Amino acid sequence: MNDAKNMTKYSLRSWVLVLALAPTILVGILLGSYFTINRFYELEDTLIEQASNIIEPLAIAAEVGLESKDFETTKRLITSAQLNKASLVQFIAIFDDDNRVVVTSHHYKNHEIMRFGKPLESMLRTELEQVGDSMILRSPIFKSSNAPVQGFNSNQATSDVIKIGYIAILINKENALLQQHRAAVAAFIIVLIGVQLNLFFTFRLVKNVTQPITEMVRVVAKIREGKLDTRLTGNLIGELDLLKRGINAMAGSLSEYHDEMQQNIDQATSDLRETLEQIEIQNVELDMAKKRAQEASRIKSEFLANMSHELRTPLNGVIGFAKQLLKTPLHSSQQDYIRTIERSATNLLSIINDILDFSKLEAGKMVLENIPFSLRETLEETVTMLSSTAREKELELVIDVDSRIPEDVTGDAMRFNQIITNLVGNAIKFTDKGSVQLKLQLEDIKDGKLHVRCEVIDTGIGIDEQQQSSLFQAFGQADSSISRRFGGTGLGLVITKRLVNRMGGQIGCYSEPNQGSTFWLSLPLNISQYPINDTLPLAPLKGKSILLFEPKTLTQQATERMLNRWDMKVTIVDNIDQLQQSTNQSSKVFDFALVSCRALILANSPARLLKLIKPNINYLLLTSDCVEQEDVFSQLRPYVDKQISIPVGEKLLSKSLLDPHSSALNDSLLPLNPVAMPAKLENLSVLAVDDNPANLKLIDTLLKELVTQVQVADNGELAVQLAKERSYDLIFMDIQMPGTDGITATKLIRSHSLNRNTPIIAVTAHAIAEERERISTSGMDGYLPKPIDEAALKGVITRWKTKPKFTHFDQRTLNWDLCLTQANNKPDLALDMLKMLLKSLPETVEHIETALSQADDDKMLACIHKLHGACCYCGVPSTQMLCKEIESALKRGVSIDDVEPEILELLDELTKVESAANQVISQLSVDI
């Protein structure tokens, strides 16, 4: 059908011309093309053969000069060859086995195109490469003793051939191209003459045949335009008369059908109009539904923010005053009641945090940080917080970390802590007896990134296969009765799963009912460029003897592996009798002993037993996982050098063994409930602002235990007025207050008061990221979340009581607050990173200047990339921005000359950074 329509687009005259001319043109083009292409190939083959006849003898002749390093003779050889065939050979170069140019026939500006781009081992014979209007032939140069047969078709095995380099020739194809063009022009002229002769006869035929049809074409064209009353007239001959009648009949039929078709079109148009109106209505409804959904999401966010504030505000008073009550004289039942109130409020706070985390993950607003942290230290801190619950249930809690895992990594330490807390906390919650084991194994280290597999193995109630599918669903647990027995919202695992997925990892579980469960996760972490903590010198422990008395299998195995990694001589005993036998040998004296307190209690007289074995032990450490054993400890203390809690972390144990008599390490031998000594008050004047009476009273009480002068204000207006009348060392400002809120009050204090430069700390129950960002941009210096933690409050005061003021350099050159943020708010770590950057600057500047003078793009990119990585942890925004611009430009292929202004600006900026860093280090080193 389509072919017929296409045929009607052309006149009969055109078809006659086409059918008469096409065969002639086609045959002429085919013949001309065949002979032309054949000629092209002949010329090409002749050129390649000539080039091969030049390069292969040269490859053989160059072997002697290349082997003996006689480059001058080799240069004369290839120069003579190039001059002898100057019209054919444009340039000759010889490369050694390291792909370096050793000899060239003459200077050539673009000699890099002659280099072989693949590994030299892949060049087995003479190879050809086309480059524009030239071609490059490369032939390997072998030692003459075992050189293979050269040539394009050589198949000789080359596995045992010694290759010492290769020769490359740039062949000029201009003469061959000129001959090819001449052959093409000649073929074209011959074809053109044939076409002209054919045209002469064709036009004579067209003139005598197509005149009657031209009128038919005109009439059909009018009919096609809609003039259906047009008809053909006159007498025509033969088949043309039949064609005329057919056209007239067709015109009559079309006129009838036209009227009917118009009616159908009108009806279809009416139906389509109605359909479009319905689609438009649906689009409007969808747009309204989208706006309602966005409004609902906004309302939900506002509701969560308000609920966070409204719930945290009373919890602040409950938890804060519960802790204050514990400081007062109370009998045992009152202390138990207060601790129960504190635990209940803390549990309620954790539920609120889970709901907020789930909402942020669901909305995609969870922002992950990338800061350096100590992996083992973070794990030990996390498990230590959970160890009290495990001790209450008499569970064996074990940490086992692969020694190959680096200590210093970068990532979101807080979220990593949250993941481990959720998994280990769940394992403890659902395990009544047995053990909970946390294992970390190294999966892979590649390109500065390590993949860690973490497993939490328990001996708890287990989960059947059908219930495992609902583990990671929100507000759901594997068994609906679980929430009745153990409590919980069912959000812990879904938050953990989404956090792991956001970090680029995977999580899963395999379990059997009454056999325990194993939750595993694979997580990628970046290796930190800078050490977070000083590496302990473990060499002094090598060869030291240690007696390990730990009946619990998992704890014993984990501790034994740890000690074996330190190359210590470990003697393991499993019971009291073996312990006595090992220490009764008068000649056997152990450097250290690690003894389980729980196992000692099983003896009739643990104190007498320790007294007997102590003479054979230079330093005795007691591991404890028992609850309420003060009476036992009081008996054992005279024979114990140090008491540590289980699970035993690598950091604590290594420090205890390396410096056994350190006073800091013997703090644990103090009584379990020592009398609190009154802390020395900081000589500071502090203003606290809060509209909630309970919260204001709490922060007033806490501050009076830490500073000498405290003044309170219950609204923003009063706070602004007090700030105008008196200067303070520190201001704690609530955010959400009626009338003048905290942000407005801060702006007023900053604009006109006696406290324009006074540190202002936001105290708020808001916990969402948007609120914190709004607070940070409002002129406030810090953030203290509710419920207020006494340790956090003390940390804020300690940090801001001597706020550093740097006035001799631009904050864009070096920003100390940004340094702290990038170092996880650890001043000592931030200072160490700044010192390492300062130490590396002279070498970095030297490398940059060398790369700039040599125009070495690769060396410059390597230097800038390394400097860019260092800037990410040292609070130098201008340097970081310049490094990013230069690195991006170099990676895009921009030359050094084009980015030279930015490089010079970077060198100037590094000079400023060096000066600013020296000032900061000199001012802060003593304080920190």
Side-chain angles (χ1 to χ4, degrees):
M1 185 69 179
N2 292 332
D3 293 340
K5 290 183 178 179
N6 292 332
M7 290 176 68
T8 59
K9 295 180 180 179
Y10 305 101
S11 64
L12 181 60
R13 173 190 174 91
S14 300
W15 278 108
V16 172
L17 289 173
V18 169
L19 294 176
L21 290 174
T24 303
I25 296 175
L26 182 60
V27 171
I29 291 175
L30 289 176
L31 290 175
S33 299
Y34 171 76
F35 289 111
T36 302
I37 294 173
N38 190 44
R39 180 59 177 166
F40 282 9
Y41 281 117
E42 288 179 357
L43 292 172
E44 184 85 9
D45 293 341
T46 301
L47 186 64
I48 294 173
E49 183 178 357
Q50 291 177 352
S52 299
N53 292 336
I54 295 173
I55 190 171
E56 290 171 1
L58 284 178
I60 296 172
E63 181 267 335
V64 176
L66 188 60
E67 180 70 18
S68 61
K69 307 296 183 180
D70 187 2
F71 298 140
E72 185 63 30
T73 302
T74 305
K75 181 176 180 66
R76 289 198 299 269
L77 173 66
I78 61 175
T79 303
S80 299
Q82 191 269 330
L83 293 175
N84 189 34
K85 297 290 184 178
S87 61
L88 179 63
V89 179
Q90 188 173 351
F91 180 65
I92 303 177
I94 296 179
F95 296 79
D96 62 8
D97 55 353
D98 290 328
N99 210 7
R100 295 175 302 184
V101 178
V102 295
V103 180
T104 60
S105 60
H106 61 280
H107 176 70
Y108 186 67
K109 62 179 181 180
N110 198 16
H111 68 272
E112 282 297 324
I113 65 174
M114 308 291 287
R115 193 183 305 277
F116 189 53
K118 301 178 182 177
L120 194 57
E121 293 77 8
S122 64
M123 185 187 293
L124 305 179
R125 60 188 63 87
T126 303
E127 296 189 0
L128 171 67
E129 179 185 355
Q130 298 287 349
V131 181
D133 290 340
S134 303
M135 66 171 65
I136 299 175
L137 271 75
R138 300 183 182 91
S139 182
I141 301 175
F142 301 97
K143 280 193 174 181
S144 58
S145 59
N146 55 359
V149 178
Q150 293 287 330
F152 287 101
N153 300 320
S154 175
N155 295 318
Q156 179 179 346
T158 58
S159 59
D160 56 349
V161 173
I162 299 177
K163 193 180 302 180
I164 61 173
Y166 64 93
I167 182 170
I169 296 182
L170 183 65
I171 300 300
N172 190 348
K173 295 170 58 178
E174 291 181 358
N175 292 334
L177 291 175
L178 182 60
Q179 294 180 22
Q180 290 174 352
H181 294 161
R182 289 174 179 174
V185 170
F188 175 75
I189 292 173
I190 293 172
V191 173
L192 186 61
I193 293 173
V195 170
Q196 289 177 344
L197 291 174
N198 186 266
L199 276 175
F200 174 75
F201 296 105
T202 301
F203 277 115
R204 295 295 300 268
L205 176 63
V206 169
K207 182 177 179 182
N208 297 325
V209 175
T210 59
Q211 286 291 343
I213 301 175
T214 302
E215 182 65 19
M216 293 182 184
V217 173
R218 185 184 62 80
V219 170
V220 170
K222 288 186 176 181
I223 294 174
R224 186 178 56 191
E225 293 172 359
K227 299 177 181 178
L228 300 179
D229 56 346
T230 305
R231 298 292 185 269
L232 281 170
T233 59
N235 296 322
L236 300 177
I237 59 173
E239 289 82 356
L240 295 180
D241 188 65
L242 295 176
L243 182 59
K244 178 196 72 174
R245 295 176 184 178
I247 292 174
N248 290 337
M250 179 189 65
S253 299
L254 286 175
S255 181
E256 295 175 0
Y257 292 143
H258 179 268
D259 296 336
E260 182 179 355
M261 182 182 62
Q262 188 62 43
Q263 294 177 1
N264 294 335
I265 290 174
D266 293 340
Q267 182 64 37
T269 302
S270 177
D271 296 341
L272 180 60
R273 186 178 293 110
E274 293 178 1
T275 303
L276 290 174
E277 290 176 355
Q278 293 176 357
I279 293 175
E280 186 176 354
I281 293 172
Q282 291 176 354
N283 288 337
V284 172
E285 292 176 350
L286 287 173
D287 187 56
M288 294 174 63
K290 178 183 176 182
K291 291 180 179 179
R292 286 195 297 268
Q294 292 174 342
E295 180 66 15
S297 176
R298 185 188 63 80
I299 293 173
K300 174 186 173 183
S301 298
E302 290 182 358
F303 171 76
L304 286 173
N306 292 330
M307 286 304 298
S308 168
H309 183 274
E310 296 302 326
L311 291 172
R312 288 171 181 269
T313 297
L315 280 176
N316 180 48
V318 173
I319 296 175
F321 281 111
K323 291 181 178 179
Q324 290 299 110
L325 271 175
L326 287 173
K327 299 178 182 178
T328 62
L330 299 171
H331 55 71
S332 59
S333 61
Q334 288 175 329
Q335 287 185 348
D336 184 53
Y337 299 155
I338 297 301
R339 288 193 180 95
T340 302
I341 292 173
E342 183 187 6
R343 282 196 298 268
S344 300
T346 303
N347 290 337
L348 179 57
L349 180 62
S350 67
I351 293 173
I352 294 171
N353 290 335
D354 283 347
I355 295 174
L356 288 173
D357 285 342
F358 175 73
S359 300
K360 286 187 281 188
L361 285 166
E362 194 176 43
K365 295 184 178 181
M366 176 73 75
V367 179
L368 297 178
E369 296 179 338
N370 187 29
I371 56 178
F373 69 94
S374 174
L375 182 65
R376 288 176 177 80
E377 184 178 344
T378 301
L379 285 174
E380 292 173 10
E381 290 175 356
T382 303
V383 176
T384 300
M385 290 188 299
L386 301 169
S387 60
S388 60
T389 308
R391 285 196 295 268
E392 291 174 0
K393 301 181 73 172
E394 297 186 357
L395 298 176
E396 183 181 8
L397 184 58
V398 183
I399 305 177
D400 190 1
V401 183
D402 191 341
S403 60
R404 298 173 300 167
I405 298 178
E407 174 66 17
D408 305 317
V409 297
T410 60
D412 195 324
M414 184 182 72
R415 297 303 174 187
F416 179 75
N417 184 307
Q418 183 178 359
I419 291 170
I420 301 300
T421 301
N422 282 343
L423 294 179
V424 177
N426 273 355
I428 295 173
K429 183 197 302 185
F430 296 116
T431 303
D432 293 329
K433 61 180 180 178
S435 63
V436 175
Q437 186 178 12
L438 173 61
K439 294 181 64 176
L440 260 74
Q441 295 177 324
L442 179 65
E443 289 186 331
D444 183 33
I445 295 182
K446 188 176 181 181
D447 298 332
K449 178 168 288 190
L450 63 96
H451 291 265
V452 177
R453 180 180 176 87
C454 175
E455 293 183 353
V456 179
I457 308 168
D458 64 63
T459 58
I461 60 177
I463 310 165
D464 62 38
E465 188 174 352
Q466 294 179 349
Q467 294 171 342
Q468 290 180 24
S469 59
S470 61
L471 274 178
F472 299 103
Q473 295 179 3
F475 304 103
Q477 291 176 323
D479 186 352
S480 59
S481 64
I482 292 296
S483 60
R484 303 286 297 173
R485 178 181 174 191
F486 296 99
T489 60
L491 286 176
L493 284 179
V494 70
I495 291 174
T496 299
K497 179 178 176 63
R498 296 193 181 187
L499 282 175
V500 170
N501 292 340
R502 282 289 305 278
M503 292 180 178
Q506 296 178 333
I507 187 172
C509 167
Y510 44 89
S511 175
E512 294 182 10
N514 302 319
Q515 298 296 321
S517 305
T518 298
F519 283 85
W520 62 269
L521 62 92
S522 178
L523 201 64
L525 295 170
N526 294 319
I527 300 177
S528 177
Q529 297 183 7
Y530 303 104
I532 309 302
N533 293 315
D534 294 333
T535 303
L536 293 176
L538 298 175
L541 298 179
K542 185 175 181 179
K544 297 286 186 179
S545 60
I546 183 168
L547 178 67
L548 176 60
F549 178 33
E550 178 55 68
K552 291 185 177 181
T553 305
L554 294 176
T555 303
Q556 182 192 99
Q557 292 174 350
T559 307
E560 182 185 5
R561 283 193 293 270
M562 190 189 311
L563 297 173
N564 286 332
R565 287 199 301 268
W566 300 341
D567 294 330
M568 300 185 71
K569 297 178 181 178
V570 185
T571 301
I572 300 176
V573 295
D574 297 323
N575 52 56
I576 300 294
D577 295 335
Q578 292 181 7
L579 178 64
Q580 290 178 325
Q581 293 175 5
S582 299
T583 54
N584 282 341
Q585 303 174 13
S586 57
S587 60
K588 180 71 172 179
V589 178
F590 293 95
D591 296 310
F592 304 97
L594 197 61
V595 180
S596 170
C597 175
R598 181 176 292 277
L600 283 178
I601 295 176
L602 300 178
N604 293 330
S605 177
R608 188 174 68 86
L609 177 62
L610 284 185
K611 183 178 180 181
L612 290 175
I613 67 174
K614 187 65 172 73
N616 294 78
I617 299 170
N618 293 334
Y619 188 71
L620 192 148
L621 293 92
L622 189 68
T623 61
S624 169
D625 63 345
C626 305
V627 183
E628 298 179 356
Q629 293 179 338
E630 176 58 24
D631 54 339
V632 177
F633 292 151
S634 62
Q635 300 175 21
L636 302 180
R637 279 195 185 93
Y639 314 106
V640 175
D641 295 292
K642 179 173 175 58
Q643 169 198 332
I644 55 180
S645 298
I646 288 179
V648 180
E650 289 190 35
K651 291 287 185 182
L652 177 59
L653 182 58
S654 59
K655 287 181 180 178
S656 301
L657 298 179
L658 287 168
D659 192 7
H661 303 291
S662 171
S663 60
L665 295 173
N666 292 321
D667 292 342
S668 59
L669 296 178
L670 297 174
L672 293 182
N673 295 312
V675 178
M677 298 296 294
K680 181 181 179 180
L681 299 181
E682 299 285 353
N683 187 19
L684 299 174
S685 176
V686 179
L687 172 63
V689 187
D690 200 310
D691 67 316
N692 185 286
N695 289 336
L696 189 61
K697 184 176 181 181
L698 173 62
I699 195 172
D700 180 42
T701 304
L702 293 174
L703 286 172
K704 285 180 178 177
E705 296 178 358
L706 300 172
V707 300
T708 55
Q709 300 179 36
V710 181
Q711 191 165 1
V712 296
D714 58 1
N715 59 72
E717 293 88 347
L718 179 58
V720 175
Q721 184 62 35
L722 292 174
K724 293 180 179 179
E725 298 172 355
R726 180 180 174 184
S727 176
Y728 297 95
D729 298 306
L730 197 61
I731 298 176
F732 289 92
M733 180 72 69
D734 187 25
I735 296 299
Q736 189 167 328
M737 294 184 294
T740 303
D741 61 10
I743 292 179
T744 304
T746 299
K747 293 179 179 178
L748 293 173
I749 292 173
R750 292 294 190 214
S751 63
H752 182 66
S753 73
L754 299 176
N755 296 272
R756 293 182 180 179
N757 299 316
T758 300
I760 300 178
I761 309 302
V763 183
T764 178
H766 286 295
I768 60 176
E770 291 82 356
E771 183 66 21
R772 294 187 182 184
E773 184 177 355
R774 187 171 71 95
I775 290 171
S776 64
T777 57
S778 65
M780 295 188 174
D781 299 279
Y783 176 88
L784 183 64
K786 296 179 183 178
I788 298 175
D789 181 70
E790 186 175 0
L793 180 62
K794 186 175 181 180
V796 169
I797 293 175
T798 302
R799 175 183 174 186
W800 293 103
K801 67 181 179 182
T802 55
K803 179 182 178 182
K805 295 182 175 64
F806 306 116
T807 57
H808 302 294
F809 57 84
D810 192 343
Q811 290 295 297
R812 289 172 297 181
T813 297
L814 179 59
N815 190 324
W816 175 246
D817 291 335
L818 183 58
C819 289
L820 288 174
T821 302
Q822 293 174 340
N824 200 15
N825 290 320
K826 294 183 178 180
D828 52 348
L829 176 60
L831 200 60
D832 288 341
M833 289 185 171
L834 196 57
K835 288 179 180 178
M836 284 188 282
L837 176 66
L838 180 62
K839 185 178 179 180
S840 67
L841 283 183
E843 182 181 1
T844 301
V845 171
E846 181 182 355
H847 288 169
I848 292 175
E849 290 176 345
T850 302
L852 182 61
S853 63
Q854 297 176 353
D856 191 335
D857 293 353
D858 294 336
K859 186 175 182 180
M860 179 65 74
L861 180 58
C863 294
I864 298 299
H865 177 74
K866 183 178 180 181
L867 178 61
H868 190 195
C871 293
C872 295
Y873 304 102
C874 297
V876 283
S878 293
T879 304
Q880 185 176 355
M881 181 187 68
L882 286 170
C883 287
K884 182 178 180 181
E885 291 178 0
I886 298 171
E887 184 178 2
S888 299
L890 292 175
K891 286 182 177 179
R892 292 195 307 268
V894 178
S895 66
I896 288 183
D897 294 337
D898 293 334
V899 293
E900 184 176 359
E902 288 79 4
I903 296 175
L904 296 176
E905 184 180 356
L906 175 62
L907 292 173
D908 292 339
E909 187 64 27
L910 290 179
T911 304
K912 298 177 184 177
V913 168
E914 185 175 7
S915 173
N918 283 320
Q919 183 187 155
V920 172
I921 292 171
S922 62
Q923 183 170 344
L924 294 180
S925 293
V926 176
D927 296 336
I928 293 179

